[in-house]
Amino acid sequence: MKDVLKELKKRKDRARLSGGLKRLEAQHSKGKLSARERINVLADKGSFIEYDMFVEHRSTDFGMEKNKIPGDGVVTGNCKINGRPVLIYSQDFTAYGGSLSEAHAEKICKVMDQAMKLGVPIIGLNDSGGARIQEGVASLGGYAEVFQRNVLASGFIPQISLIMGPCAGGAVYSPAITDFIFMVQDSSYMFVTGPDVVKTVTHETVSAEELGGASSHTKKSGVADLSFEDDISVLEETRRLLDFLPLSNKEKAPYRLTQDPSDRKSFNLDTLIPHNSNSPYDMKELIITIIDEEDFFEIQPDYAQNIIIGFARISGQTIGIVANQPMVLAGCLDIDSSRKAARFVRFCDCFNIPIVTLVDVPGFLPGTSQEFNGIIKHGAKLLYAYAEATVPKITLITRKAYGGAYDVMASKHLRGDINYAWPTAEIAVMGAKGAVEIIFRGSDKKEIEKQTEEYQDKFANPFIAASRGYLDDIITPHNTRYRLSSALELLKTKELSNPKKKHGNIPL
Ligand code: HXC
């Protein structure tokens, strides 16, 4: 027995050594942790249970039969994060550059299947040179097996991708299907084709960092949701995100006890809206004021900043917040903000997270660039997402709600459950000046001014919408937290379902 135990220990030690100390040092010298060190930060202490540490590749080409590293470049298993179960895989760059072989893919698929069976989230830590070059098509098949599972898991369990090194070629499509992508600044990148191929095909000279680094993907492409300065921060923030989410679509998000009273009044909100209705104000001040303990987990803060999305809690209950930001493009909806918010609304709807929408929107952004790039289809995504969502939907119009954007932003007509406005709300087909210039085209300047004033008085308020029942109430700003908290409490028992169908055909 003693000998067997000794042998087991020897084999486990060998597997834990993976690609060896030299490669581990190389990993550390790039400011990166190893696959196992990362798991130690992500998981609750002592909770990680590893699977498949003795798995080896089956390749015999290019002398690979003599080059076997137990574990085959990925560490997989289950663990707990703040006491709740999660399945994880963590690619090990010290073994074959974390490249994906058939066996490596099978290990990932096994934890994905396990996560699906158990109904718990899966987190993938990506640090890989891509397809295992020595294996060819077997590796491509492995990727496709992963993609297929990503798709089936979508909307069933939360899927989170952490990009902590290279992620290139077709490998990017697994993270792309998952719900959230976090990147590490300066040590991770994602692209379909790298700088060398770009140079050959388009003659552009671009660095890997510029082409697919964290900054490009959080600011320009919107592919990544957030970036953090090092491995530790990305792992800690992933733990924080997970606390807002349910384990699967069969559950509600966890309740978090709070000391923040639900009827806390916030008199700063009574003066948040500037006198001049064209002056901006910071919508984040409203968000931070009404949520529990100012704890806001913003998603995509650096992309399409004219809309704000993220998770928070009110009276302990997780909510998804969607809010126009008057500080950027006056809070207009455009292509990027519509796509950003639409995907978030759908995530919340998949996972039973009530949506609180804060509206101050002057309309859709005009221009040829928007029209030629398909604002019609992209704007429709947000409309579709809200209209399809059956989770509790609470809407508060703080100021402008003009035109089609009024309809889109979780209006009563799209099955908003509770729709409120502040007394400062302006709900109309369009702004007074634009409207009068159309109705009174050809009139002199004085007449236009007079009519503009009249239009402003008549329509720039919430009372007409309220008189039709499109708003359930007009509330005082300082009471907003209490009113939202009460609405969320009421809607806990909401039941609503859409007609039975295979799936809708969202305008992609
Ligand atoms: C096998 C690989 C590998 C790969 C890296 N390695 N990538 N082994 N298959 N894809 C090995 C290296 O041989 C090396 O082994 C070790 O990993 C570390 O690699 P280095 O090159 O020394 O590291 P670094 O300088 O940091 O460069 C990392 C890298 C580079 C930029 C990722 O290794 C690289 O360009 N790799 C190839 C990337 C690639 O073309 N992949 C295929 C893409 S196509 P030793 O033994 O020396 O430590 C693809 C299609 C997917 O992925 C399609 C899915 C549908």
Side-chain angles (χ1 to χ4, degrees):
M1 180 69 178
K2 229 170 151 193
D3 288 349
V4 191
L5 290 179
K6 235 173 156 178
E7 177 65 16
L8 176 64
K9 181 171 180 318
K10 195 175 108 194
R11 284 181 183 248
K12 286 202 166 182
D13 287 348
R14 168 67 197 94
R16 289 195 186 103
L17 198 61
S18 192
L21 286 178
K22 222 170 132 206
R23 291 195 184 93
L24 180 63
E25 273 165 26
Q27 177 85 345
H28 287 163
S29 72
K30 291 180 206 152
K32 292 158 70 178
L33 298 177
S34 72
R36 282 197 170 75
E37 287 165 346
R38 286 168 175 165
I39 291 173
N40 284 343
V41 179
L42 182 63
D44 291 353
K45 204 165 185 300
S47 70
F48 179 60
I49 294 171
E50 186 167 346
Y51 307 166
D52 290 341
M53 77 193 304
F54 306 116
V55 162
E56 293 175 345
H57 68 75
R58 298 181 285 271
S59 174
T60 51
D61 293 320
F62 307 102
M64 283 298 278
E65 69 280 5
K66 291 188 226 92
N67 178 11
K68 295 204 172 182
I69 302 176
D72 204 40
V74 63
V75 182
T76 59
N78 65 264
C79 69
K80 288 198 169 163
I81 292 186
N82 290 327
R84 298 194 308 149
V86 176
L87 272 292
I88 48 179
Y89 69 87
S90 177
Q91 288 179 316
D92 177 357
F93 194 80
T94 70
Y96 321 107
S99 59
L100 186 136
S101 68
E102 189 181 24
H104 177 127
E106 284 165 1
K107 285 183 67 173
I108 294 178
C109 289
K110 191 194 258 189
V111 280
M112 294 180 82
D113 290 342
Q114 189 81 314
M116 295 273 281
K117 261 187 291 180
L118 304 178
V120 303
I122 175 117
I123 303 176
L125 284 62
N126 295 262
D127 187 359
S128 166
R132 178 87 46 90
I133 293 168
Q134 296 89 338
E135 289 207 10
V137 73
S139 160
L140 300 186
Y143 270 117
E145 295 284 343
V146 174
F147 302 157
Q148 177 66 61
R149 283 165 176 79
N150 284 133
V151 172
L152 295 180
S154 180
F156 176 50
I157 50 172
Q159 302 182 83
I160 300 171
S161 299
L162 311 183
I163 314 299
M164 309 187 76
C167 182
V172 295
Y173 288 113
S174 171
I177 300 165
T178 62
D179 299 303
F180 299 104
I181 298 180
F182 293 175
M183 294 183 75
V184 184
Q185 288 155 16
D186 305 320
S187 61
S188 72
Y189 54 83
M190 297 176 81
F191 38 66
V192 174
T193 51
D196 295 343
V197 179
V198 169
K199 175 103 185 135
T200 311
V201 178
T202 69
H203 308 295
E204 291 167 286
T205 305
V206 63
S207 67
E209 178 62 27
E210 211 185 324
L211 187 62
S215 172
S216 300
H217 283 312
T218 50
K219 294 182 183 145
K220 290 185 189 156
S221 72
V223 164
D225 296 291
L226 282 161
S227 71
F228 300 96
E229 66 178 355
D230 53 26
D231 282 17
I232 305 249
S233 322
V234 85
L235 296 162
E236 282 175 346
E237 287 297 309
T238 304
R239 288 175 61 87
R240 196 175 142 231
L241 170 67
L242 213 76
D243 275 0
F244 286 97
L245 310 182
L247 295 181
S248 77
N249 71 343
K250 290 185 278 187
E251 292 194 1
K252 294 211 159 142
Y255 171 83
R256 165 78 71 87
L257 195 68
T258 176
Q259 302 299 319
D260 202 346
S262 58
D263 59 355
R264 172 171 51 77
K265 288 188 169 50
S266 313
F267 290 99
N268 61 315
L269 297 182
D270 290 343
T271 51
L272 180 66
I273 305 294
H275 232 55
N276 177 347
S277 95
N278 290 325
S279 299
Y281 63 93
D282 191 356
M283 187 60 97
K284 279 192 195 159
E285 190 180 334
L286 169 57
I287 296 171
I288 292 298
T289 305
I290 57 177
I291 62 178
D292 291 355
E293 292 152 22
E294 303 189 353
D295 186 12
F296 183 45
F297 195 98
E298 188 172 357
I299 304 289
Q300 293 196 300
D302 298 323
Y303 180 75
Q305 292 175 323
N306 41 333
I307 209 151
I308 304 167
I309 56 172
F311 299 106
R313 295 183 192 85
I314 290 185
S315 303
Q317 189 182 348
T318 293
I319 52 167
I321 292 182
V322 179
N324 308 114
Q325 172 57 290
M327 306 266 283
V328 181
L329 290 175
C332 265
L333 283 175
D334 61 354
I335 292 172
D336 293 346
S337 58
S338 299
R339 285 175 42 236
K340 170 178 165 180
R343 186 156 164 79
F344 184 70
V345 166
R346 294 194 104 211
F347 177 85
C348 292
D349 191 43
C350 289
F351 292 106
N352 314 315
I353 297 173
I355 301 164
V356 172
T357 304
L358 306 172
V359 184
D360 188 346
V361 63
F364 280 94
L365 185 68
T368 51
S369 153
Q370 289 291 308
E371 296 291 350
F372 294 168
N373 285 298
I375 180 65
I376 295 175
K377 282 262 165 118
H378 296 293
K381 287 176 182 159
L382 183 54
L383 166 63
Y384 191 109
Y386 268 126
E388 171 188 56
T390 55
V391 284
K393 291 187 284 197
I394 301 168
T395 306
L396 169 68
I397 302 173
T398 58
R399 189 169 61 176
K400 295 173 190 176
Y402 282 121
Y406 155 74
D407 277 343
V408 168
M409 293 299 295
S411 63
K412 192 52 128 187
H413 324 282
L414 301 185
R415 303 189 294 182
D417 297 299
I418 304 280
N419 292 64
Y420 288 144
W422 281 356
T424 41
E426 306 169 17
I427 305 168
V429 173
M430 55 169 66
K433 195 159 175 290
V436 168
E437 277 168 3
I438 292 171
I439 305 171
F440 297 95
R441 184 172 287 151
S443 301
D444 61 32
K445 201 172 154 222
K446 222 168 143 203
E447 179 66 10
I448 296 268
E449 271 169 17
K450 184 176 149 252
Q451 293 296 343
T452 303
E453 216 168 282
E454 205 168 294
Y455 191 96
Q456 183 81 14
D457 287 347
K458 199 160 177 196
F459 293 112
N461 63 62
F463 297 104
I464 299 171
S467 74
R468 291 185 167 266
Y470 298 167
L471 297 170
D472 298 298
D473 200 3
I474 299 167
I475 64 171
T476 47
H478 62 257
N479 257 334
T480 301
R481 175 174 160 86
Y482 175 64
R483 297 300 294 261
L484 296 182
S485 171
S486 308
L488 285 162
E489 181 66 30
L490 175 75
L491 293 171
K492 271 185 177 160
T493 52
K494 177 183 176 183
E495 273 185 40
L496 179 66
S497 50
N498 293 329
K500 195 168 157 33
K501 55 187 158 182
K502 194 168 167 193
H503 56 72
N505 189 12
I506 189 166
L508 293 172

